[in-house]
C-alpha cells in the first residue's frame, strides 16, 4: 500500500520556529516529526511513501537520504511551485496505485489506518475522510454526514454560525485513483475548497471515518508543545516506544547535584551543570549546555542551546543554537537564535 504525505505549501504558521525549519521536520522528542508519520504508516502496512513537497525540500531530502533503517521506501515528488493539496497529489499520480492514503504532513495521530481501509473497502467510497472531534472547528474543515457516515457537506474554515458539528477533517484520507481524474494538471487545486465540494455535488460516494484516536495538528506553537508533553507523559502512545530512553545517554554529563524530575528526555552530548533543576515534561536536544543553577520546567529545547547560569525557563520552546542569558526568567515564549534575552 502506498501513501502520499503532503509536506509542502506555504503552511509555515509555526512561526517563528519554521523560519529555518520546514514544519514537517520540527523535532518531536528529538526526532523529526515526519519520522513519526512514516513509522505510523509502516505500522499499518504502508511500504512506500510519496513525499509531496512544494516548499524547501532540501532539508527533508538531506535528512532522509542519510537516514538508516527507514521503515518505508521514500519517493520525492517536488512541485515546481506549491500546487495545493489536491494539485500536489495529482502531480504525484504516476507513482500511485488504485487505492492509497493521503496524509497532511502536520498531523500527528494514532488512528487505526488498517480499520479505516477496511471501512473504505466495505462502503465502496471514492474517498474516505477521517474525522476527529475538536473544540474549535472554525480553524478546520467541518464535515457533515448522514447516520451511515456518507458525507453530506464539507465546509472549510466555517464562520462560527455555520458550525453544525465538532467533527472535522482530520487530514487523513483514503482515495481511489479515479478521484483524481477530473483534477487539472499543473494548477493549484485544493481538496478542501475544490475537489471535495465538486465530488459531493456530482453525487460521488464520499464517506467519513470518525475516530477518537489521539489527534493533533502541530501547526500552532501550543499544539507543538502539547504533543511533546503528551508523548512524554504517555497521554499519547509513542508509535515506536523502544526509541525513547528513560536515562540520559552516556555521551551526556549530568552533574550529580542536578535534579531531573518527571518525564525528561536528554539528548546526546549535553552538559547539565551543578544545581540545575529540570522538571518534566521536558526535552533537552543534542549538544545543549545548561549552566549551573538554571531551572527548566515544561520546556522543549532543540539542539545546541545554551542556558546561562540561574536562568529560568518555564513552558518555553527554544530553537537550535539559541543562547539564554544568565539570570533571565522566561515563561511561555518561543526563543530563536535571533532573540535577545534580557
Ligand atoms: N505538497 C504540498 N503542496 N503540500 C501542501 C500544499 C501544496 O501546495 N499546501 C498545503 N500543503 C500541506 C501542508 O504542508 C500541510 O501538511 C497540509 O497540506 C495541510 O495544509 P495546512 O496549511 O496545514 O492546512 P490547515 O491545517 O489549515 O487545514 C487542513 O488540515 C486540517 C486538519 O489539520 C485542511 O485539510 C482542513 O480541512 C483540516 O481540518
Ligand atoms: Mg495544518
Amino acid at each position: 500500500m502506498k501513501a502520499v504525505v503532503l509536506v509542502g505549501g506555504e503552511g509555515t504558521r509555526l512561526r517563528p520556529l519554521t523560519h529555518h525549519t520546514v514544519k514537517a521536520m520540527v523535532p518531536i522528542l528529538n526526532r523529526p516529526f515526519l519520522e513519526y508519520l512514516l513509522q505510523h504508516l509502516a505500522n499499518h502496512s504502508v511500504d512506500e511513501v510519496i513525499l509531496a513537497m512544494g516548499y524547501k525540500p532540501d532539508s527533508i531530502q538531506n535528512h532522509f537520504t542519510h537516514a538508516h533503517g527507514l521503515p518505508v521506501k521514500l519517493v520525492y515528488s517536488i512541485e515546481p511551485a506549491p500546487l495545493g493539496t489536491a494539485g500536489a497529489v495529482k502531480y504525484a499520480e504516476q507513482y500511485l496505485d488504485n487505492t492509497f492514503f493521503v496524509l497532511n504532513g502536520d498531523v500527528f495521530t494514532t488512528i487505526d489506518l488498517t480499520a479505516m481501509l477496511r471501512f473504505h473497502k466495505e462502503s465502496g467510497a471514492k474517498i474516505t475522510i477521517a474525522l476527529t472531534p475538536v473544540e474549535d472547528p472554525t480553524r478546520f474543515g467541518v464535515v457533515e454526514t448522514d447516520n451511515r457516515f456518507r458525507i453530506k457537506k464539507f465546509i472549510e474554515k466555517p464562520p462560527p454560525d455555520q458550525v453544525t458539528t465538532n467533527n472535522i477533517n482530520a487530514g487523513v484520507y483514503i482515495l481511489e485513483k479515479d478521484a483524481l481524474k477530473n483534477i487539472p494538471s499543473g494548477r493549484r487545486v485544493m481538496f478542501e475548497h475544490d475537489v471535495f465540494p465538486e465530488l459531493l455535488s456530482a453525487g460521488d460516494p464520499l464517506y467519513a471515518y470518525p475516530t477518537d484516536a489521539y489527534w493533533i495538528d502541530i501547526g500552532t506553537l501550543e499544539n507543538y508543545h502539547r504533543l511533546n508533553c503528551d508523548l512524554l507523559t504517555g497521554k499519547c502512545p509513542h508509535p515506536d516506544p523502544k526509541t525513547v530512553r528513560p536515562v540520559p545517554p552516556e555521551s551526556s554529563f549530568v552533574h550529580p547535584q542536578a535534579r531531573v524530575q518527571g518525564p525528561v528526555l536528554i539528548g546526546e552530548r549535553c552538559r547539565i551543570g551543578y544545581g540545575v533543576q529540570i522538571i518534566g515534561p521536558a526535552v533537552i536536544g543534542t549538544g545543549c549546555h545548561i549552566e549551573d543553577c538554571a531551572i527548566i520546567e515544561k520546556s522543549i529545547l532543540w539542539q545546541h542551546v545554551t542556558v546561562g547560569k540561574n536562568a529560568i525557563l518555564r513552558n518555553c520552546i527554544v530553537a537550535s543554537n539559541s543562547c539564554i542569558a544568565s539570570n533571565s526568567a522566561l515563561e511561555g515564549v518561543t526563543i530563536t537564535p535571533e532573540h535577545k534575552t534580557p
Side-chain angles (χ1 to χ4, degrees), residues 189-211:
V189 186
M190 299 297 283
F191 279 120
E192 300 85 340
H193 296 286
D194 310 311
V195 177
F196 297 154
E198 276 165 28
L199 290 176
L200 278 178
S201 56
D204 279 313
L206 267 54
Y207 276 83
Y209 181 76
T211 170

Side-chain angles (χ1 to χ4, degrees), residues 13 23 106 217 219:
R13 281 170 295 122
K23 192 160 63 171
D106 59 353
D217 176 334

Side-chain angles (χ1 to χ4, degrees), residues 3-26:
V4 181
V5 175
L6 297 162
V7 290
E10 298 104 302
T12 53
R13 281 170 295 122
L14 200 53
R15 290 208 170 93
L17 285 175
T18 46
H19 192 58
H20 299 288
T21 311
V22 183
K23 192 160 63 171
M25 294 298 281
V26 294

Side-chain angles (χ1 to χ4, degrees), residues 42-74:
N43 291 350
H44 290 278
S45 310
V46 170
D47 52 5
E48 185 172 319
V49 171
I50 296 103
L51 293 178
M53 309 198 278
Y55 169 80
K56 278 196 188 166
D58 302 3
S59 59
I60 298 182
Q61 275 181 300
N62 288 346
H63 176 82
F64 286 107
T65 308
H66 298 112
H68 297 287
L70 281 180
V72 291
K73 178 185 172 210
L74 284 185

Side-chain angles (χ1 to χ4, degrees), residues 173-185:
Y173 318 125
I174 299 174
L175 266 75
E176 291 301 305
K177 204 172 181 182
D178 192 36
L180 305 180
K181 203 174 57 196
N182 293 328
I183 299 177
S185 299

Side-chain angles (χ1 to χ4, degrees), residues 100-112:
F100 55 92
F101 290 105
V102 175
L103 265 73
N104 284 354
D106 59 353
V107 156
F108 186 105
T109 177
T110 56
I111 183 173
D112 184 345

Side-chain angles (χ1 to χ4, degrees), residues 247-260 264 266-267 270-276 278 290:
V247 287
E250 269 177 26
S251 62
S252 288
F253 169 77
V254 180
H255 194 286
Q257 259 128 8
R259 188 158 68 95
V260 177
V264 173
I266 297 178
C270 292
R271 290 185 62 80
I272 315 288
Y274 163 87
V276 166
I278 306 179
I290 317 296

